[in-house]
Amino acid sequence: MDGKKQQLTVWYWLGLIGVLLAMQFYLLGSRAATIPYSEFKTLLAAGKVQQASVGADTIVAEVDVTGTQNLLPAADYQQLLARPASTSPTLRRIVTDRVEDPQLTTQLQAAHVTYSGVAQNPWLRTLLGWIVPIGLLVLVWVWMMRRGAGSGSGLMMGVGQSKAKLYVESQTKVRFADVAGIDEAKQELEEVVQFLRSPERFRGLGGKIPKGVLIVGAPGTGKTLLAKAVAGEAGVPFLSISGSEFVEMFVGVGAARVRDLFAQAQQRAPCIIFIDELDALGKARGISGLNGNDEREQTLNQLLVQMDGFDSQNGVIILAATNRPEILDPALLRPGRFDRHVAIDRPDIKGREAILKVHAKNVVLSPEVDLAVVAAKTPGFAGADLANIVNEAALHAARENKKAVEPRDFDEAIDRVVAGLEKRNRVMNPKEKETVAYHEAGHALVAESRAHADRVSKISIIPRGIGALGYTQQLPTEDRYLLKRSELLDRLDVLLGGRVAEELVYGDVSTGAQDDLQRATDMARHMVTQYGMSERLGQVAFDSTRPSPFLTVPQANQSVNYSEATARVIDEEVGRLIREAHDRVTQTLTQQRGSLEALARLLLEKEVVERSALEALLASHRGASGVA
Ligand code: ADP
Ligand code: ZN
C-alpha cells in the first residue's frame, strides 16, 4: 500500500467516526435542552409543560418559556432560551432523565398535558445509532478489501478464490479483424476457433484438439489481443488471469486459485482460459531465486495436475502468453499441456502499416498522411507502440485544434514514443547543449558518409525522457534480417561518430556516449563470437548466449565453451574492431570538420534538423570544399 492510499484510509476512518458521532448526537436529542428532573417537575407544577413524550429512560417535553425566569436557575434558563424555538416562538423542547416517579402520570393529567407513552423505541434507537453505522462501516470495509485485493493488500479476503483477480468476459468484442500484421499466428489459432464453435462436430471427426497453446512474443506484440480475438471469433467466454497473481505470500493460496479457476472454466465451457505472464508461475523448478519458492512450485504443480486432469473435449482451451519461454519449466511444454506454440514477431513494415490502419480507423486523418511512411519510420515497434503512436498523434492534433491528424502530428507522436515525453522544460546548460549538438552531428555525418548505413531522417537535441539527451534518427530503406559484414562495420562507425566528434572538437570526451559504446562493443562482440566475422578466429561461433526457444532447464551458470586463450583472442579482436572503426571515423570527421561545425551550429539554432535541411547543408559544403 503506498502513502497516498494509506492517507486515504486515515481520512476514511476519521470521516466515518465523525458521521457516527454526529448520528449519536442527533439521536440523543441534541436539539433539546437537558434539564434535571426536579426542574422538569417544577415546570410541570407551574403549568408550563405543554406536551410530553414519556420514554423508557427519558422524557421529551415542550415547555412554554414565558414567565419561567424565576422558576429555574439562571444558567438553565439562559440555556433554555438559547435553544431554537420549536413549534411556536415561546416553546422550547427539553429532555430530562426519567426518574422512577409513580405520581408523574397523575400530575401530567392534572396539568392537562397531552402525553404519549413510548415516544422512542429503544430498539429503533440502538438500530439507528449503532447497528446501521457499524453495518455501513463493515460494508465499506469489505468493499475496500475487495478492491485492494488486486494490489496485494487483501490478504484476509478471498483467500483461495480467484474471483477477485479472475477477469471473466462472457463476450469479448475483439475479432481477428482487429489483430493485424500477425497473420501466421492467426492462422494457427483458426483451428482452435473452429473447435470452440462446434466441439461436437470436431469430436465426431475424431480431430485432436490442443489443450494448451503457448503464445510467445515480446511485450506489446498483441498476445493478449490475439487470445481475446480467439474467444471473440468463437463466441465463448474469456477467463483471464495473470501468472503473477497466482503467486501469493501464503503457501497454498496459489494452488487453491488454480483449482478454482479450472472449476469455473468447467462450468462455463466451452470457454478460453488465458494465463498472462505464464513465466511468473511457470519458471523452471529449481532455478528460483531465493532458497526455493515452495509456493510457486505448489502452484505450478497444481496447474500441471489440473491440465492433466481435464479433457479438452469439454471445450475448455488454455491459452498462455509469455515473453520468456526459455525459463519455463519443461514440464509445462510436454504433450498434453502447452504443446502448441505460436510465435509472434514484432511486425515488419507491411504489418506495421496494417496495425496502424486498424488503430487509425476511428481517427480523422488528413489526406497527406501516408501510414506507409509512418510504418517506415517505426522499425522495431510492437503493436502496442503503434497503437500508442496513433493515439498520441490524435491527441497532438486535438491540442492544436486541428480538424484532422496531419503528418506532423505523427512525427511528434513517434518522437514521443521513441524517447519518452518531451521535456521542454528541462534546461540543459548551453555548454551541455553544444556538446550534444556536436555529438549528434558526428553520428549524422558518419551515417551520411557510409555507403551501407541507413540514411539519416532527423537529428534532434531536444532532451527527451530519461537518458537520451539527443538522437539521430536513421530511416532504414527496408527491414533487414541479414546483415553483411560491411554493413555491420558501417553501423559500428555510426555508433562511434558521436564520441569521435566530441574528441575532435573538445579534445575530451563526455559520459554521453556510454550507451553508444555499449552498443558498439556488443555489436563487435557478436561479430567476433557469433557471426564468425573475425579473420583471426575464423568461421566459428562461440558462446551462443541466445537460448534456444524451448530448451530444457537452463543452467544458472552458462558454461563457457572455449579456452582462456580463445577468450583473450576474442577480447583482442573486439578491441581491434572498435579501434579500427575509431580510426576510420576520426579520418572521416577530420575531413568533414567544416560540415561538422556547420551542422552543430544549425542544430543549436533549430534543435531539430530534418533530412532536407541536412542534405542542403551537405551539398553546400561539398561545393565549397570541392570534396565529392
Ligand atoms: P501483449 O499481451 O503481447 O503484451 P497486448 O495484446 O496487450 O500485448 O497489446 C496491447 C495493445 O496493443 C492491444 O490492446 C492493441 O491495441 C495493440 N496491439 C498490439 N498488437 C497488435 C496487433 N497485431 N494488431 C492491432 N493492435 C495491436
Ligand atoms: Zn550517441
PDB file of all heavy atoms in Angstrom, residues 195-200 202-203 209-211 236-237 262-263 265-272 306-318:
ATOM      1  N   PHE A 195     -12.873 -25.348 -33.433  1.00  0.00           N
ATOM      2  CA  PHE A 195     -13.242 -26.342 -32.436  1.00  0.00           C
ATOM      3  C   PHE A 195     -14.209 -25.765 -31.411  1.00  0.00           C
ATOM      4  O   PHE A 195     -15.231 -26.370 -31.086  1.00  0.00           O
ATOM      5  CB  PHE A 195     -11.996 -26.876 -31.731  1.00  0.00           C
ATOM      6  CG  PHE A 195     -12.310 -27.603 -30.470  1.00  0.00           C
ATOM      7  CD1 PHE A 195     -12.963 -28.828 -30.511  1.00  0.00           C
ATOM      8  CD2 PHE A 195     -11.984 -27.062 -29.238  1.00  0.00           C
ATOM      9  CE1 PHE A 195     -13.281 -29.496 -29.354  1.00  0.00           C
ATOM     10  CE2 PHE A 195     -12.303 -27.727 -28.072  1.00  0.00           C
ATOM     11  CZ  PHE A 195     -12.949 -28.939 -28.125  1.00  0.00           C
ATOM     12  N   LEU A 196     -13.903 -24.568 -30.932  1.00  0.00           N
ATOM     13  CA  LEU A 196     -14.759 -23.978 -29.900  1.00  0.00           C
ATOM     14  C   LEU A 196     -16.148 -23.665 -30.436  1.00  0.00           C
ATOM     15  O   LEU A 196     -17.132 -23.700 -29.706  1.00  0.00           O
ATOM     16  CB  LEU A 196     -14.118 -22.701 -29.350  1.00  0.00           C
ATOM     17  CG  LEU A 196     -12.924 -22.921 -28.426  1.00  0.00           C
ATOM     18  CD1 LEU A 196     -12.246 -21.609 -28.093  1.00  0.00           C
ATOM     19  CD2 LEU A 196     -13.361 -23.626 -27.147  1.00  0.00           C
ATOM     20  N   ARG A 197     -16.210 -23.372 -31.729  1.00  0.00           N
ATOM     21  CA  ARG A 197     -17.513 -23.052 -32.313  1.00  0.00           C
ATOM     22  C   ARG A 197     -18.417 -24.268 -32.309  1.00  0.00           C
ATOM     23  O   ARG A 197     -19.595 -24.182 -31.994  1.00  0.00           O
ATOM     24  CB  ARG A 197     -17.327 -22.559 -33.756  1.00  0.00           C
ATOM     25  CG  ARG A 197     -17.078 -21.074 -33.806  1.00  0.00           C
ATOM     26  CD  ARG A 197     -17.454 -20.542 -35.179  1.00  0.00           C
ATOM     27  NE  ARG A 197     -16.965 -19.182 -35.325  1.00  0.00           N
ATOM     28  CZ  ARG A 197     -16.270 -18.746 -36.369  1.00  0.00           C
ATOM     29  NH1 ARG A 197     -15.989 -19.575 -37.361  1.00  0.00           N
ATOM     30  NH2 ARG A 197     -15.869 -17.499 -36.431  1.00  0.00           N
ATOM     31  N   SER A 198     -17.868 -25.405 -32.679  1.00  0.00           N
ATOM     32  CA  SER A 198     -18.709 -26.602 -32.711  1.00  0.00           C
ATOM     33  C   SER A 198     -17.915 -27.813 -32.256  1.00  0.00           C
ATOM     34  O   SER A 198     -17.419 -28.583 -33.068  1.00  0.00           O
ATOM     35  CB  SER A 198     -19.254 -26.828 -34.126  1.00  0.00           C
ATOM     36  OG  SER A 198     -18.221 -26.637 -35.059  1.00  0.00           O
ATOM     37  N   PRO A 199     -17.778 -27.938 -30.937  1.00  0.00           N
ATOM     38  CA  PRO A 199     -16.981 -29.047 -30.387  1.00  0.00           C
ATOM     39  C   PRO A 199     -17.514 -30.411 -30.824  1.00  0.00           C
ATOM     40  O   PRO A 199     -16.730 -31.325 -31.079  1.00  0.00           O
ATOM     41  CB  PRO A 199     -17.137 -28.877 -28.871  1.00  0.00           C
ATOM     42  CG  PRO A 199     -17.719 -27.530 -28.641  1.00  0.00           C
ATOM     43  CD  PRO A 199     -18.369 -27.100 -29.895  1.00  0.00           C
ATOM     44  N   GLU A 200     -18.850 -30.531 -30.939  1.00  0.00           N
ATOM     45  CA  GLU A 200     -19.427 -31.855 -31.265  1.00  0.00           C
ATOM     46  C   GLU A 200     -18.911 -32.340 -32.612  1.00  0.00           C
ATOM     47  O   GLU A 200     -18.517 -33.494 -32.776  1.00  0.00           O
ATOM     48  CB  GLU A 200     -20.959 -31.796 -31.343  1.00  0.00           C
ATOM     49  CG  GLU A 200     -21.637 -30.914 -30.328  1.00  0.00           C
ATOM     50  CD  GLU A 200     -21.518 -29.429 -30.657  1.00  0.00           C
ATOM     51  OE1 GLU A 200     -21.552 -29.077 -31.856  1.00  0.00           O
ATOM     52  OE2 GLU A 200     -21.348 -28.626 -29.718  1.00  0.00           O
ATOM     53  N   PHE A 202     -16.251 -31.545 -34.159  1.00  0.00           N
ATOM     54  CA  PHE A 202     -14.852 -31.923 -34.064  1.00  0.00           C
ATOM     55  C   PHE A 202     -14.701 -33.292 -33.437  1.00  0.00           C
ATOM     56  O   PHE A 202     -13.930 -34.120 -33.890  1.00  0.00           O
ATOM     57  CB  PHE A 202     -14.106 -30.894 -33.211  1.00  0.00           C
ATOM     58  CG  PHE A 202     -13.044 -30.184 -33.973  1.00  0.00           C
ATOM     59  CD1 PHE A 202     -13.379 -29.117 -34.781  1.00  0.00           C
ATOM     60  CD2 PHE A 202     -11.724 -30.586 -33.905  1.00  0.00           C
ATOM     61  CE1 PHE A 202     -12.409 -28.461 -35.494  1.00  0.00           C
ATOM     62  CE2 PHE A 202     -10.752 -29.932 -34.621  1.00  0.00           C
ATOM     63  CZ  PHE A 202     -11.086 -28.861 -35.409  1.00  0.00           C
ATOM     64  N   ARG A 203     -15.476 -33.494 -32.349  1.00  0.00           N
ATOM     65  CA  ARG A 203     -15.405 -34.774 -31.656  1.00  0.00           C
ATOM     66  C   ARG A 203     -15.789 -35.899 -32.584  1.00  0.00           C
ATOM     67  O   ARG A 203     -15.153 -36.936 -32.634  1.00  0.00           O
ATOM     68  CB  ARG A 203     -16.327 -34.760 -30.438  1.00  0.00           C
ATOM     69  CG  ARG A 203     -15.580 -34.503 -29.152  1.00  0.00           C
ATOM     70  CD  ARG A 203     -16.494 -34.722 -27.982  1.00  0.00           C
ATOM     71  NE  ARG A 203     -17.671 -33.865 -28.080  1.00  0.00           N
ATOM     72  CZ  ARG A 203     -17.919 -32.848 -27.262  1.00  0.00           C
ATOM     73  NH1 ARG A 203     -17.111 -32.597 -26.274  1.00  0.00           N
ATOM     74  NH2 ARG A 203     -18.979 -32.102 -27.401  1.00  0.00           N
ATOM     75  N   ILE A 209      -7.616 -32.159 -30.458  1.00  0.00           N
ATOM     76  CA  ILE A 209      -7.698 -30.765 -30.042  1.00  0.00           C
ATOM     77  C   ILE A 209      -6.542 -30.442 -29.109  1.00  0.00           C
ATOM     78  O   ILE A 209      -6.266 -31.203 -28.184  1.00  0.00           O
ATOM     79  CB  ILE A 209      -9.012 -30.514 -29.270  1.00  0.00           C
ATOM     80  CG1 ILE A 209     -10.173 -31.193 -29.960  1.00  0.00           C
ATOM     81  CG2 ILE A 209      -9.242 -29.029 -29.074  1.00  0.00           C
ATOM     82  CD1 ILE A 209     -10.315 -30.802 -31.388  1.00  0.00           C
ATOM     83  N   PRO A 210      -5.889 -29.327 -29.327  1.00  0.00           N
ATOM     84  CA  PRO A 210      -4.841 -28.963 -28.374  1.00  0.00           C
ATOM     85  C   PRO A 210      -5.474 -28.542 -27.051  1.00  0.00           C
ATOM     86  O   PRO A 210      -6.538 -27.942 -27.029  1.00  0.00           O
ATOM     87  CB  PRO A 210      -4.161 -27.775 -29.040  1.00  0.00           C
ATOM     88  CG  PRO A 210      -5.194 -27.178 -29.925  1.00  0.00           C
ATOM     89  CD  PRO A 210      -6.061 -28.312 -30.372  1.00  0.00           C
ATOM     90  N   LYS A 211      -4.801 -28.902 -25.974  1.00  0.00           N
ATOM     91  CA  LYS A 211      -5.293 -28.466 -24.663  1.00  0.00           C
ATOM     92  C   LYS A 211      -4.808 -27.069 -24.373  1.00  0.00           C
ATOM     93  O   LYS A 211      -5.546 -26.206 -23.938  1.00  0.00           O
ATOM     94  CB  LYS A 211      -4.711 -29.391 -23.585  1.00  0.00           C
ATOM     95  CG  LYS A 211      -5.675 -30.341 -23.012  1.00  0.00           C
ATOM     96  CD  LYS A 211      -5.034 -31.046 -21.830  1.00  0.00           C
ATOM     97  CE  LYS A 211      -5.717 -32.375 -21.624  1.00  0.00           C
ATOM     98  NZ  LYS A 211      -5.108 -33.127 -20.533  1.00  0.00           N
ATOM     99  N   VAL A 236     -17.091 -17.458 -27.290  1.00  0.00           N
ATOM    100  CA  VAL A 236     -17.099 -18.148 -25.994  1.00  0.00           C
ATOM    101  C   VAL A 236     -16.556 -17.212 -24.918  1.00  0.00           C
ATOM    102  O   VAL A 236     -15.870 -16.246 -25.229  1.00  0.00           O
ATOM    103  CB  VAL A 236     -16.246 -19.437 -26.037  1.00  0.00           C
ATOM    104  CG1 VAL A 236     -16.773 -20.389 -27.086  1.00  0.00           C
ATOM    105  CG2 VAL A 236     -14.783 -19.111 -26.286  1.00  0.00           C
ATOM    106  N   PRO A 237     -16.864 -17.490 -23.646  1.00  0.00           N
ATOM    107  CA  PRO A 237     -16.342 -16.643 -22.567  1.00  0.00           C
ATOM    108  C   PRO A 237     -14.817 -16.681 -22.496  1.00  0.00           C
ATOM    109  O   PRO A 237     -14.195 -17.673 -22.882  1.00  0.00           O
ATOM    110  CB  PRO A 237     -16.944 -17.258 -21.298  1.00  0.00           C
ATOM    111  CG  PRO A 237     -18.108 -18.037 -21.750  1.00  0.00           C
ATOM    112  CD  PRO A 237     -17.787 -18.516 -23.134  1.00  0.00           C
ATOM    113  N   PHE A 262     -10.016 -23.573 -12.684  1.00  0.00           N
ATOM    114  CA  PHE A 262     -10.443 -24.650 -13.568  1.00  0.00           C
ATOM    115  C   PHE A 262     -11.886 -25.051 -13.296  1.00  0.00           C
ATOM    116  O   PHE A 262     -12.621 -25.404 -14.222  1.00  0.00           O
ATOM    117  CB  PHE A 262      -9.493 -25.849 -13.445  1.00  0.00           C
ATOM    118  CG  PHE A 262      -8.274 -25.685 -14.282  1.00  0.00           C
ATOM    119  CD1 PHE A 262      -7.194 -24.951 -13.822  1.00  0.00           C
ATOM    120  CD2 PHE A 262      -8.208 -26.221 -15.555  1.00  0.00           C
ATOM    121  CE1 PHE A 262      -6.069 -24.759 -14.603  1.00  0.00           C
ATOM    122  CE2 PHE A 262      -7.087 -26.042 -16.344  1.00  0.00           C
ATOM    123  CZ  PHE A 262      -6.019 -25.310 -15.866  1.00  0.00           C
ATOM    124  N   ALA A 263     -12.284 -24.990 -12.024  1.00  0.00           N
ATOM    125  CA  ALA A 263     -13.679 -25.312 -11.707  1.00  0.00           C
ATOM    126  C   ALA A 263     -14.612 -24.333 -12.411  1.00  0.00           C
ATOM    127  O   ALA A 263     -15.622 -24.729 -13.003  1.00  0.00           O
ATOM    128  CB  ALA A 263     -13.886 -25.254 -10.196  1.00  0.00           C
ATOM    129  N   ALA A 265     -13.972 -22.631 -15.062  1.00  0.00           N
ATOM    130  CA  ALA A 265     -13.911 -22.829 -16.504  1.00  0.00           C
ATOM    131  C   ALA A 265     -14.808 -23.984 -16.930  1.00  0.00           C
ATOM    132  O   ALA A 265     -15.510 -23.900 -17.936  1.00  0.00           O
ATOM    133  CB  ALA A 265     -12.477 -23.078 -16.933  1.00  0.00           C
ATOM    134  N   GLN A 266     -14.790 -25.061 -16.136  1.00  0.00           N
ATOM    135  CA  GLN A 266     -15.635 -26.212 -16.488  1.00  0.00           C
ATOM    136  C   GLN A 266     -17.097 -25.810 -16.533  1.00  0.00           C
ATOM    137  O   GLN A 266     -17.859 -26.268 -17.380  1.00  0.00           O
ATOM    138  CB  GLN A 266     -15.453 -27.345 -15.464  1.00  0.00           C
ATOM    139  CG  GLN A 266     -14.082 -27.977 -15.460  1.00  0.00           C
ATOM    140  CD  GLN A 266     -13.835 -28.883 -16.653  1.00  0.00           C
ATOM    141  OE1 GLN A 266     -14.584 -28.883 -17.620  1.00  0.00           O
ATOM    142  NE2 GLN A 266     -12.757 -29.654 -16.601  1.00  0.00           N
ATOM    143  N   GLN A 267     -17.482 -24.940 -15.588  1.00  0.00           N
ATOM    144  CA  GLN A 267     -18.879 -24.505 -15.556  1.00  0.00           C
ATOM    145  C   GLN A 267     -19.255 -23.723 -16.798  1.00  0.00           C
ATOM    146  O   GLN A 267     -20.400 -23.748 -17.230  1.00  0.00           O
ATOM    147  CB  GLN A 267     -19.113 -23.593 -14.350  1.00  0.00           C
ATOM    148  CG  GLN A 267     -19.348 -24.340 -13.070  1.00  0.00           C
ATOM    149  CD  GLN A 267     -19.291 -23.388 -11.890  1.00  0.00           C
ATOM    150  OE1 GLN A 267     -19.477 -22.185 -12.049  1.00  0.00           O
ATOM    151  NE2 GLN A 267     -19.029 -23.922 -10.718  1.00  0.00           N
ATOM    152  N   ARG A 268     -18.286 -22.981 -17.319  1.00  0.00           N
ATOM    153  CA  ARG A 268     -18.623 -22.089 -18.419  1.00  0.00           C
ATOM    154  C   ARG A 268     -18.310 -22.688 -19.783  1.00  0.00           C
ATOM    155  O   ARG A 268     -18.440 -21.993 -20.795  1.00  0.00           O
ATOM    156  CB  ARG A 268     -17.849 -20.786 -18.284  1.00  0.00           C
ATOM    157  CG  ARG A 268     -18.366 -19.912 -17.195  1.00  0.00           C
ATOM    158  CD  ARG A 268     -17.383 -18.808 -16.934  1.00  0.00           C
ATOM    159  NE  ARG A 268     -17.419 -18.420 -15.537  1.00  0.00           N
ATOM    160  CZ  ARG A 268     -18.077 -17.362 -15.082  1.00  0.00           C
ATOM    161  NH1 ARG A 268     -18.719 -16.597 -15.908  1.00  0.00           N
ATOM    162  NH2 ARG A 268     -18.084 -17.092 -13.820  1.00  0.00           N
ATOM    163  N   ALA A 269     -17.825 -23.888 -19.830  1.00  0.00           N
ATOM    164  CA  ALA A 269     -17.395 -24.482 -21.086  1.00  0.00           C
ATOM    165  C   ALA A 269     -18.519 -24.417 -22.116  1.00  0.00           C
ATOM    166  O   ALA A 269     -19.676 -24.557 -21.752  1.00  0.00           O
ATOM    167  CB  ALA A 269     -16.977 -25.933 -20.852  1.00  0.00           C
ATOM    168  N   PRO A 270     -18.233 -24.237 -23.403  1.00  0.00           N
ATOM    169  CA  PRO A 270     -16.882 -24.007 -23.924  1.00  0.00           C
ATOM    170  C   PRO A 270     -16.388 -22.603 -23.618  1.00  0.00           C
ATOM    171  O   PRO A 270     -17.146 -21.663 -23.713  1.00  0.00           O
ATOM    172  CB  PRO A 270     -17.070 -24.198 -25.430  1.00  0.00           C
ATOM    173  CG  PRO A 270     -18.489 -23.838 -25.691  1.00  0.00           C
ATOM    174  CD  PRO A 270     -19.255 -24.206 -24.459  1.00  0.00           C
ATOM    175  N   CYS A 271     -15.121 -22.527 -23.269  1.00  0.00           N
ATOM    176  CA  CYS A 271     -14.557 -21.211 -22.960  1.00  0.00           C
ATOM    177  C   CYS A 271     -13.037 -21.258 -23.098  1.00  0.00           C
ATOM    178  O   CYS A 271     -12.456 -22.308 -23.361  1.00  0.00           O
ATOM    179  CB  CYS A 271     -14.937 -20.783 -21.550  1.00  0.00           C
ATOM    180  SG  CYS A 271     -14.134 -21.733 -20.274  1.00  0.00           S
ATOM    181  N   ILE A 272     -12.450 -20.086 -22.931  1.00  0.00           N
ATOM    182  CA  ILE A 272     -10.998 -19.980 -23.031  1.00  0.00           C
ATOM    183  C   ILE A 272     -10.439 -19.494 -21.707  1.00  0.00           C
ATOM    184  O   ILE A 272     -10.959 -18.543 -21.120  1.00  0.00           O
ATOM    185  CB  ILE A 272     -10.607 -19.015 -24.165  1.00  0.00           C
ATOM    186  CG1 ILE A 272     -10.754 -19.732 -25.499  1.00  0.00           C
ATOM    187  CG2 ILE A 272      -9.190 -18.501 -23.982  1.00  0.00           C
ATOM    188  CD1 ILE A 272     -10.330 -18.909 -26.659  1.00  0.00           C
ATOM    189  N   GLN A 306      -4.054 -30.040 -12.855  1.00  0.00           N
ATOM    190  CA  GLN A 306      -5.344 -29.649 -13.429  1.00  0.00           C
ATOM    191  C   GLN A 306      -5.355 -29.837 -14.943  1.00  0.00           C
ATOM    192  O   GLN A 306      -6.340 -30.278 -15.521  1.00  0.00           O
ATOM    193  CB  GLN A 306      -5.661 -28.186 -13.101  1.00  0.00           C
ATOM    194  CG  GLN A 306      -5.975 -27.937 -11.645  1.00  0.00           C
ATOM    195  CD  GLN A 306      -7.328 -28.500 -11.244  1.00  0.00           C
ATOM    196  OE1 GLN A 306      -8.192 -28.741 -12.078  1.00  0.00           O
ATOM    197  NE2 GLN A 306      -7.502 -28.735  -9.961  1.00  0.00           N
ATOM    198  N   MET A 307      -4.239 -29.486 -15.570  1.00  0.00           N
ATOM    199  CA  MET A 307      -4.192 -29.619 -17.027  1.00  0.00           C
ATOM    200  C   MET A 307      -4.266 -31.075 -17.440  1.00  0.00           C
ATOM    201  O   MET A 307      -4.884 -31.418 -18.447  1.00  0.00           O
ATOM    202  CB  MET A 307      -2.918 -28.983 -17.579  1.00  0.00           C
ATOM    203  CG  MET A 307      -3.017 -27.482 -17.655  1.00  0.00           C
ATOM    204  SD  MET A 307      -1.695 -26.738 -18.604  1.00  0.00           S
ATOM    205  CE  MET A 307      -2.306 -26.899 -20.279  1.00  0.00           C
ATOM    206  N   ASP A 308      -3.625 -31.926 -16.656  1.00  0.00           N
ATOM    207  CA  ASP A 308      -3.680 -33.353 -16.980  1.00  0.00           C
ATOM    208  C   ASP A 308      -5.064 -33.900 -16.721  1.00  0.00           C
ATOM    209  O   ASP A 308      -5.543 -34.782 -17.412  1.00  0.00           O
ATOM    210  CB  ASP A 308      -2.667 -34.125 -16.133  1.00  0.00           C
ATOM    211  CG  ASP A 308      -1.249 -33.780 -16.530  1.00  0.00           C
ATOM    212  OD1 ASP A 308      -1.092 -33.206 -17.628  1.00  0.00           O
ATOM    213  OD2 ASP A 308      -0.328 -34.061 -15.753  1.00  0.00           O
ATOM    214  N   GLY A 309      -5.696 -33.365 -15.667  1.00  0.00           N
ATOM    215  CA  GLY A 309      -6.951 -33.940 -15.212  1.00  0.00           C
ATOM    216  C   GLY A 309      -8.133 -33.624 -16.096  1.00  0.00           C
ATOM    217  O   GLY A 309      -9.081 -34.387 -16.139  1.00  0.00           O
ATOM    218  N   PHE A 310      -8.100 -32.524 -16.806  1.00  0.00           N
ATOM    219  CA  PHE A 310      -9.308 -32.230 -17.565  1.00  0.00           C
ATOM    220  C   PHE A 310      -9.128 -32.573 -19.030  1.00  0.00           C
ATOM    221  O   PHE A 310      -8.033 -32.747 -19.531  1.00  0.00           O
ATOM    222  CB  PHE A 310      -9.768 -30.791 -17.341  1.00  0.00           C
ATOM    223  CG  PHE A 310      -9.185 -29.815 -18.308  1.00  0.00           C
ATOM    224  CD1 PHE A 310      -9.863 -29.479 -19.468  1.00  0.00           C
ATOM    225  CD2 PHE A 310      -7.975 -29.228 -18.050  1.00  0.00           C
ATOM    226  CE1 PHE A 310      -9.330 -28.580 -20.357  1.00  0.00           C
ATOM    227  CE2 PHE A 310      -7.443 -28.329 -18.935  1.00  0.00           C
ATOM    228  CZ  PHE A 310      -8.111 -28.012 -20.098  1.00  0.00           C
ATOM    229  N   ASP A 311     -10.231 -32.661 -19.663  1.00  0.00           N
ATOM    230  CA  ASP A 311     -10.255 -33.144 -21.021  1.00  0.00           C
ATOM    231  C   ASP A 311     -10.693 -31.998 -21.922  1.00  0.00           C
ATOM    232  O   ASP A 311     -11.743 -31.412 -21.719  1.00  0.00           O
ATOM    233  CB  ASP A 311     -11.266 -34.294 -21.082  1.00  0.00           C
ATOM    234  CG  ASP A 311     -11.220 -34.980 -22.421  1.00  0.00           C
ATOM    235  OD1 ASP A 311     -10.470 -34.499 -23.290  1.00  0.00           O
ATOM    236  OD2 ASP A 311     -11.934 -35.979 -22.587  1.00  0.00           O
ATOM    237  N   SER A 312      -9.886 -31.689 -22.909  1.00  0.00           N
ATOM    238  CA  SER A 312     -10.232 -30.547 -23.754  1.00  0.00           C
ATOM    239  C   SER A 312     -11.497 -30.816 -24.568  1.00  0.00           C
ATOM    240  O   SER A 312     -12.081 -29.903 -25.129  1.00  0.00           O
ATOM    241  CB  SER A 312      -9.069 -30.204 -24.675  1.00  0.00           C
ATOM    242  OG  SER A 312      -8.759 -31.313 -25.473  1.00  0.00           O
ATOM    243  N   GLN A 313     -11.908 -32.100 -24.583  1.00  0.00           N
ATOM    244  CA  GLN A 313     -13.147 -32.414 -25.308  1.00  0.00           C
ATOM    245  C   GLN A 313     -14.323 -31.629 -24.732  1.00  0.00           C
ATOM    246  O   GLN A 313     -15.310 -31.372 -25.402  1.00  0.00           O
ATOM    247  CB  GLN A 313     -13.464 -33.912 -25.213  1.00  0.00           C
ATOM    248  CG  GLN A 313     -12.370 -34.805 -25.726  1.00  0.00           C
ATOM    249  CD  GLN A 313     -12.196 -34.707 -27.231  1.00  0.00           C
ATOM    250  OE1 GLN A 313     -13.117 -34.380 -27.947  1.00  0.00           O
ATOM    251  NE2 GLN A 313     -10.987 -34.975 -27.704  1.00  0.00           N
ATOM    252  N   ASN A 314     -14.188 -31.252 -23.450  1.00  0.00           N
ATOM    253  CA  ASN A 314     -15.272 -30.495 -22.834  1.00  0.00           C
ATOM    254  C   ASN A 314     -15.373 -29.082 -23.371  1.00  0.00           C
ATOM    255  O   ASN A 314     -16.325 -28.375 -23.076  1.00  0.00           O
ATOM    256  CB  ASN A 314     -15.055 -30.404 -21.322  1.00  0.00           C
ATOM    257  CG  ASN A 314     -15.081 -31.769 -20.697  1.00  0.00           C
ATOM    258  OD1 ASN A 314     -15.653 -32.696 -21.275  1.00  0.00           O
ATOM    259  ND2 ASN A 314     -14.450 -31.906 -19.551  1.00  0.00           N
ATOM    260  N   GLY A 315     -14.357 -28.682 -24.098  1.00  0.00           N
ATOM    261  CA  GLY A 315     -14.436 -27.356 -24.677  1.00  0.00           C
ATOM    262  C   GLY A 315     -13.761 -26.272 -23.877  1.00  0.00           C
ATOM    263  O   GLY A 315     -14.109 -25.115 -23.991  1.00  0.00           O
ATOM    264  N   VAL A 316     -12.800 -26.654 -23.031  1.00  0.00           N
ATOM    265  CA  VAL A 316     -12.015 -25.628 -22.358  1.00  0.00           C
ATOM    266  C   VAL A 316     -10.617 -25.652 -22.967  1.00  0.00           C
ATOM    267  O   VAL A 316      -9.972 -26.699 -23.015  1.00  0.00           O
ATOM    268  CB  VAL A 316     -11.911 -25.883 -20.844  1.00  0.00           C
ATOM    269  CG1 VAL A 316     -11.068 -24.796 -20.192  1.00  0.00           C
ATOM    270  CG2 VAL A 316     -13.286 -25.931 -20.229  1.00  0.00           C
ATOM    271  N   ILE A 317     -10.190 -24.506 -23.463  1.00  0.00           N
ATOM    272  CA  ILE A 317      -8.854 -24.444 -24.061  1.00  0.00           C
ATOM    273  C   ILE A 317      -8.039 -23.397 -23.324  1.00  0.00           C
ATOM    274  O   ILE A 317      -8.542 -22.323 -22.994  1.00  0.00           O
ATOM    275  CB  ILE A 317      -8.955 -24.105 -25.557  1.00  0.00           C
ATOM    276  CG1 ILE A 317      -9.675 -25.258 -26.228  1.00  0.00           C
ATOM    277  CG2 ILE A 317      -7.582 -23.832 -26.139  1.00  0.00           C
ATOM    278  CD1 ILE A 317      -9.198 -25.626 -27.577  1.00  0.00           C
ATOM    279  N   ILE A 318      -6.822 -23.757 -23.021  1.00  0.00           N
ATOM    280  CA  ILE A 318      -5.975 -22.843 -22.258  1.00  0.00           C
ATOM    281  C   ILE A 318      -4.980 -22.176 -23.183  1.00  0.00           C
ATOM    282  O   ILE A 318      -4.196 -22.840 -23.853  1.00  0.00           O
ATOM    283  CB  ILE A 318      -5.204 -23.604 -21.165  1.00  0.00           C
ATOM    284  CG1 ILE A 318      -6.165 -24.484 -20.382  1.00  0.00           C
ATOM    285  CG2 ILE A 318      -4.519 -22.637 -20.237  1.00  0.00           C
ATOM    286  CD1 ILE A 318      -5.447 -25.501 -19.571  1.00  0.00           C
TER     287      ILE A 318
END
